[in-house]
Each structure stands twice: as structure tokens, then as C-alpha cells.
Amino acid sequence: MTQQYGYYHSIETFGTVDGRGIRYVLFLGGCSLGCKFCHNPDTWVRGDKTITVEAVMADIKKYRRYYEASGGGITLSGGEPLLQPDFAAAVFKRCREQKVHTTLDTAGNYPAGHLDKVLPYTDAVLFSIKAVDPVKHHWLTGADNTRILANLQKVSAAMPVTVRYVVIPGITNSREDIHALAGLIKTLPGQAVVELLPYHTFGRKKWAELGKPYLLEGIPDAVPQDVARVQALLKEQDIDVLYETMAG
């Protein structure tokens, strides 16, 4: 039988910010967005590095005692992992069979059918919303957010979801932006919590290495006060909020 393989960018065997506990994070290659604030623009292309499902499972086995002790598992991230839905589903199916906790880290920009392949084997979802306003979303990412919002509804109907939102000073943190985000959360059919991620410029070097101009030049990193203000605005709207330390 032919082994199934996926295109990947990198692997982190001791991830602590991409889901609960300590996690094996497989960053798949390729992305359908072009976020101006992306700190990993080198993941946008699929590249030529490949890995099989068997290789992923063998790698996880080496560290499994750490994942189990912390309540962790595997996270598929990117890029956008659901641009490779068959591979993602195959990995998660094997993990489900071996009782390894699975988390999908996604930005939602793909046909809804991709979700149908992966959600049956998914234990948790981190869903990134770049902006709710469609004009601002297109400016930030180069893409429409209609199917992203539809896919968020689909995920929420299937399981609790963590909505990730990057706080970018002067761009995504106005009262109007946050009220729109709160309004979106209130439309979801299931349980949701917002995870706030402060914008940072750590990826500027990668943009330079790729010969690309950094598109948010002059925008300062978000400071704790910026995130606290957004947190307060969401809590005014009775939205549950988490506060992380990194943005992506």
C-alpha cells in the first residue's frame, strides 16, 4: 500500500502555545492567505519537504510520555494544514486510534468539504480570525473572509472552539473592531473562547530573507496595556477571554 505523505515546513517537539499541554506541532507547508503581520511567511509556499503518516507517528512515539503527562498531544498548524485535508485526516485518524489528543490550528480559508474530512478525528480547534470587517480583512490578508466565517460556524457547531485574534495597535484593536468580534462570537452555535495574541515584529528578519518588504513597517509591538484594553472590551460583551504571549 502506498504511504500517504504531506508537505511540511518544520516540526516542534515541545510546543507549549499551540493547544493544551506539551505538544508535537507539525507545521504543514502552504497558505491561502498573505497576512501582513505573519511572522512565518516562509510557510506560505508548499515547498518540497515531505513526511509520511508513519514517520509522524514514529516521531510522536519518542516523546509520547511527555505529551501524556501534560495532557498534550499533536497540533497540525502551518501555513494552513487544511490545504492538505487528506493527509491531515490520515494523521488525526491514526492519532485517534492511538489515543493521542489532536488539535487543529487553522485560519479557515478553504472549501468546507476539507473540514468534513478532518473534524471527525479532531479533539480541539484553534481558529484564527484576522479581522471581522470584510474590507479590513482583505487589506490585512489579501483574501475575502466569507468562507472563513462560514467555516468557523461549521466548526463551532461540531465542538467548542478557541478563536485566536491578534491585537495589532491601531489596526485591529479599535472599539468597533472588538465589538464586531464580540458580535461574531455571539452568533456561534457552540461554546467559544477568544485567545488574544499580541502583535509582534519577530518575523521581520524572515521577510527580509525572502526579499519581501515588511508590510506593517512602523506599527509598534502590542504591549500588555493594548491587550488588557481589548480584553476589557470583550468582557464588557460577556465574552470569555484568554491572553497568550505570542502572535502568529
Side-chain angles (χ1 to χ4, degrees):
M1 188 172 98
T2 303
Q3 289 195 352
Q4 193 161 10
Y5 64 88
Y7 292 89
Y8 78 106
H9 172 268
S10 57
I11 295 170
E12 185 176 358
T13 57
F14 203 82
T16 58
V17 297
D18 294 298
R20 75 180 200 191
I22 299 169
R23 308 196 70 79
Y24 182 96
V25 186
L26 177 58
F27 296 90
L28 297 184
C31 188
S32 53
L33 298 177
C35 298
K36 294 178 186 291
F37 56 88
C38 182
H39 70 272
N40 287 317
D42 46 335
T43 65
W44 291 359
V45 297
R46 189 179 70 172
D48 56 7
K49 290 170 60 176
T50 62
I51 191 168
T52 65
V53 175
E54 293 302 325
V56 173
M57 299 312 299
D59 208 16
I60 289 174
K61 186 176 180 180
K62 293 186 290 187
Y63 312 100
R64 184 165 179 171
R65 65 182 182 276
Y66 297 107
Y67 306 143
E68 289 182 340
S70 67
I74 184 174
T75 297
L76 288 185
S77 187
E80 175 51 67
L82 282 193
L83 294 182
Q84 301 181 59
D86 294 325
F87 176 73
V91 170
F92 274 10
K93 185 174 186 293
R94 286 292 303 279
C95 288
R96 177 65 61 84
E97 291 168 354
Q98 297 189 23
K99 295 181 170 56
V100 176
H101 184 272
T102 59
T103 294
L104 175 67
D105 182 10
T106 179
N109 193 34
Y110 38 74
H114 291 199
L115 276 171
D116 294 332
K117 295 180 178 182
V118 180
L119 283 183
Y121 312 110
T122 303
D123 295 314
V125 176
L126 307 174
F127 199 111
S128 295
I129 290 295
K130 314 303 183 181
V132 178
D133 176 76
V135 174
K136 183 170 291 188
H137 185 278
H138 197 280
W139 179 81
L140 269 176
T141 71
D144 181 77
N145 65 353
T146 301
R147 69 176 179 178
I148 292 173
L149 299 182
N151 281 333
L152 176 58
Q153 294 282 336
K154 189 179 187 73
V155 170
S156 179
M159 65 182 67
V161 60
T162 298
V163 175
R164 287 182 147 181
Y165 188 81
V166 180
V167 178
I168 309 176
I171 297 179
T172 65
N173 65 337
S174 72
R175 180 175 290 272
E176 292 75 19
D177 289 319
I178 305 311
H179 281 190
L181 177 62
L184 171 64
I185 300 303
K186 290 177 180 179
T187 70
L188 298 180
Q191 182 181 353
V193 61
V194 175
E195 182 179 23
L196 297 176
L197 301 130
Y199 166 73
H200 62 74
T201 55
F202 299 161
R204 183 179 294 168
K205 182 180 177 182
K206 289 186 179 180
W207 286 75
E209 289 172 348
L210 293 170
K212 296 177 179 289
Y214 191 68
L215 299 175
L216 292 186
E217 197 66 54
I219 302 298
D221 289 13
V223 297
Q225 293 91 330
D226 294 319
V227 181
R229 177 178 174 276
V230 171
Q231 188 174 35
L233 289 171
L234 287 170
K235 288 187 173 180
E236 284 178 6
Q237 301 291 318
D238 296 320
I239 303 298
D240 292 328
V241 185
L242 300 174
Y243 175 9
E244 252 304 343
T245 57
M246 299 290 287

